[in-house]
Amino acid sequence: MLHILLMAGIYVILTLSLNLIVGYTGLPAMGHAAFSCIGAYTSSLLALNMGISPWIGLVIGACMAALLGIVIGYPAIRLKGDYLALATFGLGVIVYSIAKNWVAFTRGPMGLPGIPGFSFFGIQLSKIWMYLILVLFFVMVTIFVINRIVNSPFGRVLRSIREDEIAAEALGKNVIKHKLLVFVIGAFFAGIAGSLYAHYITFIDPSSFTVTESITILLMVIFGGMGSIRGSIVGATVLFILPELLRFLGMSSSIAAPMRQMIYGLLLVILMIKRPQGIMGVYRFK
């Protein structure tokens, strides 16, 4: 149970960071797993090849994800609607393909085993409850930062971009700058989530960062509610924990996996009919 709560916490960080981009700014990003992939691989490779502490690797991994956000976001955010969605979708495919095919660097499908875990003042966080506290700490930091952002003048500009980008630009707001910044911030927190995941599981391979994973995170945002911090927490927690409960029914992983996708689909169909803005959201996905 602690493992499920811990993984749900990592998904909460991912969902919050994506909600900042999709929910508060209205940018249809569909490659969020690519940023967590960069964070996970950067932190893991630094620890395995250079012996760098996971704490430092986490920061560098998050910064590398943010850097990718700048490189990809600068040309992509000039696109709108479906075109932006396709561009970010392509980002997810490219990063996944690099992780899978650059065998000399990432070991490809064989993955990276033996990733060291975090330690705190010489104490190895070997127990799950220790790691759970660490993840909860980062969840609280993410909530605090994103809450400050969305309730600041910067956040009000983001919402104005979401509602009417042309009107925001006519009022003298630098729309491109705001969209790029929010893309970078979202990528930074996704990189943190990826690093936390890698050092907890101690093994990563490209299959953990597929486009399907990006869509799953987007579904959590839509399910909980666009433009809602509480909605992100609820969406990530419910959509992660509910399918995991199938394991307690004695289902094998070969049956539980497709059942998980069916549950996602069924919940979303019901939600779109009864409450299209999500459980706690006020804004509909366009």
Side-chain angles (χ1 to χ4, degrees):
M1 191 62 189
L2 291 180
H3 168 74
I4 294 174
L5 290 175
L6 192 156
M7 290 300 299
I10 292 175
Y11 274 97
V12 167
I13 298 174
L14 286 168
T15 307
L16 282 166
S17 59
L18 182 60
N19 206 347
L20 184 65
I21 300 171
V22 178
Y24 285 98
T25 318
L27 303 176
M30 298 185 67
H32 209 57
F35 299 123
S36 63
C37 178
I38 294 296
Y41 269 92
T42 301
S43 180
S44 302
L45 288 170
L46 287 174
L48 290 171
N49 297 335
M50 304 177 70
I52 292 178
S53 164
W55 292 102
I56 299 174
L58 180 142
V59 175
I60 297 176
C63 290
M64 289 298 292
L67 182 62
L68 179 68
I70 296 174
V71 173
I72 301 300
Y74 189 75
I77 57 175
R78 286 169 170 75
L79 304 173
K80 295 180 181 178
D82 298 341
Y83 298 104
L84 177 58
L86 287 173
T88 52
F89 182 86
L91 164 67
V93 174
I94 291 170
V95 171
Y96 169 75
S97 298
I98 291 174
K100 185 176 181 181
N101 295 302
W102 196 357
V103 178
F105 188 58
T106 65
R107 286 173 49 88
M110 294 181 290
L112 299 174
I115 301 169
F118 284 92
S119 60
F120 191 71
F121 289 110
I123 301 174
Q124 193 71 26
L125 304 185
S126 55
K127 304 291 185 184
I128 295 182
W129 66 266
M130 293 179 176
Y131 217 96
L132 178 61
I133 293 174
L134 176 69
V135 170
L136 288 177
F137 169 76
F138 278 101
V139 169
M140 297 305 293
V141 170
T142 306
I143 292 173
F144 175 77
V145 173
I146 291 182
N147 185 54
R148 292 297 298 267
I149 290 173
V150 299
N151 290 307
S152 67
F154 179 81
R156 288 193 285 276
V157 175
L158 297 183
R159 281 193 282 271
S160 71
I161 293 172
R162 180 189 68 195
E163 298 300 330
D164 194 329
E165 183 176 331
I166 296 175
E169 201 163 12
L171 291 171
K173 304 301 180 186
N174 190 332
V175 172
I176 297 296
K177 173 186 169 184
H178 282 79
K179 288 164 71 172
L180 182 59
L181 276 174
V182 81
F183 217 78
V184 171
I185 295 169
F188 181 85
F189 281 105
I192 288 177
S195 180
L196 288 173
Y197 172 79
H199 289 284
Y200 168 63
I201 299 295
T202 69
F203 172 82
I204 56 170
D205 67 354
S207 65
S208 300
F209 309 100
T210 61
V211 174
T212 303
E213 190 68 13
S214 294
I215 295 174
T216 299
I217 302 166
L218 180 61
L219 293 181
M220 289 174 175
V221 172
I222 297 172
F223 183 82
M226 306 275 288
S228 168
I229 291 177
R230 287 181 298 174
S232 297
I233 299 170
V234 171
T237 305
V238 171
L239 284 188
F240 182 81
I241 291 180
L242 194 60
E244 290 296 325
L245 294 179
L246 293 175
R247 300 181 192 276
F248 293 99
L249 299 178
M251 290 186 181
S252 64
S253 58
S254 61
I255 298 176
M259 282 292 291
R260 177 177 174 172
Q261 301 302 323
M262 290 172 64
I263 288 175
Y264 279 166
L266 181 62
L267 287 174
L268 284 171
V269 168
I270 295 173
L271 191 70
M272 288 301 107
I273 295 174
K274 297 296 183 182
R275 192 171 170 80
Q277 68 271 38
I279 292 177
M280 308 187 80
V282 293
Y283 175 72
R284 296 185 182 186
F285 184 72
K286 296 179 180 177

